[in-house]
Amino acid sequence: MGFVIARRVLAGIPTLLGVTVILFITLRLLPGDPISAILAGSPATPEVVEALREQFGLDRSIPAQYWEFLTNALTLNLGTSYSTRQPVSEMIGQQVDQTLILAFAAATVSAVTGIVLGSLSAIKRNGVIDGFVRVTSLINTSMPSFWVGLLLIMFFSFTLGWFPATGSGSLSTLVLPAITLGLSAAGTVTRLVRNSVIEVLGENFVTALHAKGLRSHLIVMKHVLRNAVIPTVTVVGLQLGGLVAGSVIVETVFTRQGIGQMLVQAIGGQDYPVVQGVVLVIAVIYIAVNIAVDISYSFIDPRVRTALGKG
């Protein structure tokens, strides 16, 4: 298993390099000047502007700037923010826990909702419940997360007053953002679970279990779901990385602390080191989640463990 993990980590290195190269070049091709954003319209002499450009290394060529960023990142030095003058690694360290909590909470909402509705839809397939679940899952997938968030705020915060509309740091402030982010992902899980359960229900061993007199709900709970959950683990695992990236919008809507809102502010202020650092961390999390998904296979299905060992 250690060899498998090492191989997955090595395979992720080209991905990280590709992300950093594209990001680095794209940032510097965008219109605007970070020095102007730093000065915020304050009058400054050309000497002051040039001194700032030299201080932040912006007077160097793009390849030279990229090489410095890459070598520093290997030592977990992500540079210094243009606007706050704080080390970017410290800024991310102070905020990333809030984003991870939100992403895991949203993944839980997605998995629980998808498994329950998908299983129910499969068991009652081609009926009213099945049709309702399929339409609902399609709506959840189609609706933008910021729109869902605004609807939830209007109903549960302003109308009912059950949850706060903004803020972070408590369970009550986590509920609405987690539902907002999780519902959009739950539609995919619901459809996948439905198809997987229907496929497993048609297997011969399920027919044999029915013939032995086992109750249907026990067959589904103990045998069908166990065999149908493997592809679900894949999707939920991949969604977790996407949910970390999706937190950018949700954290902005709910004014939550986190690297998502930090990224939005950094883009607006053309704070290159913060943007580069946050995107790099998101990419690392995404790759780490994929490795964790691979490892989880071996615990769910011993056949996968054997295949990984041979591969």
Side-chain angles (χ1 to χ4, degrees):
M1 184 58 68
F3 174 75
V4 173
I5 295 174
R7 189 173 60 186
R8 294 292 191 273
V9 171
L10 290 176
I13 293 177
T15 303
L16 288 178
L17 290 175
V19 168
T20 56
V21 168
I22 294 173
L23 173 67
F24 211 87
I25 295 175
T26 302
L27 280 176
R28 283 149 182 80
L29 291 178
L30 292 176
D33 181 20
I35 300 302
S36 300
I38 294 171
L39 296 174
S42 301
T45 62
E47 290 76 13
V48 172
V49 173
E50 187 60 31
L52 286 175
R53 293 186 63 83
E54 183 177 353
Q55 177 184 348
F56 295 122
L58 296 174
D59 59 331
R60 305 170 64 187
S61 65
I62 292 180
Q65 294 180 48
Y66 176 75
W67 179 251
E68 182 181 11
F69 163 74
L70 194 61
T71 53
N72 288 338
L74 293 176
T75 61
L76 302 183
N77 177 11
L78 299 177
T80 302
S81 169
Y82 294 163
S83 57
T84 65
R85 305 298 196 274
Q86 290 181 276
V88 175
S89 56
E90 291 184 8
M91 295 175 62
I92 294 175
Q94 295 168 358
Q95 301 287 343
V96 70
D97 59 331
Q98 293 294 328
T99 298
L100 291 176
I101 290 173
L102 173 59
F104 276 104
T108 302
V109 171
S110 173
V112 172
T113 304
I115 291 174
V116 171
L117 293 182
S119 302
L120 183 62
S121 180
I123 296 171
K124 304 292 184 180
R125 62 183 180 276
N126 300 326
V128 176
I129 295 178
D130 182 27
F132 175 78
V133 170
R134 294 170 68 179
V135 171
T136 302
S137 64
L138 181 61
I139 293 174
N140 289 340
T141 306
S142 304
M143 292 183 66
S145 56
F146 70 88
W147 176 245
V148 175
L150 293 175
L151 291 178
L152 293 178
I153 289 174
M154 291 176 59
F155 186 71
F156 289 104
S157 297
F158 297 156
T159 303
L160 299 179
W162 289 0
F163 303 103
T166 59
S168 56
S170 65
L171 182 60
S172 60
T173 60
L174 178 64
V175 174
L176 294 185
I179 293 175
T180 299
L181 198 55
L183 281 182
S184 60
T188 302
V189 178
T190 299
R191 293 195 300 273
L192 178 63
V193 171
R194 178 185 181 275
N195 295 335
S196 297
V197 171
I198 289 176
E199 182 179 350
V200 175
L201 284 174
E203 297 288 341
N204 292 331
F205 79 90
V206 175
T207 304
L209 292 173
H210 280 293
K212 290 181 179 180
L214 290 181
R215 296 182 179 180
S216 297
H217 70 277
L218 292 178
I219 295 175
V220 172
M221 294 297 295
K222 292 185 177 181
H223 302 280
V224 174
L225 283 180
R226 179 179 177 83
N227 287 275
V229 75
I230 294 179
T232 305
V233 171
T234 306
V235 171
V236 173
L238 294 176
Q239 281 183 343
L240 183 58
L243 291 172
V244 173
S247 65
V248 172
I249 297 175
V250 175
E251 286 178 357
T252 302
V253 171
F254 289 92
T255 321
R256 283 183 58 87
Q257 293 181 345
I259 60 175
Q261 186 170 183
M262 183 191 304
L263 178 61
V264 173
Q265 294 173 349
I267 292 174
Q270 293 186 298
D271 199 335
Y272 292 168
V274 176
V275 176
Q276 293 163 182
V278 172
V279 173
L280 179 61
V281 168
I282 291 176
V284 170
I285 292 174
Y286 196 93
I287 293 173
V289 167
N290 277 269
I291 295 174
V293 169
D294 287 342
I295 296 173
S296 69
Y297 285 167
S298 62
F299 295 100
I300 296 173
D301 191 342
R303 295 172 299 178
V304 178
R305 186 188 307 129
T306 303
L308 286 175
K310 293 180 179 179

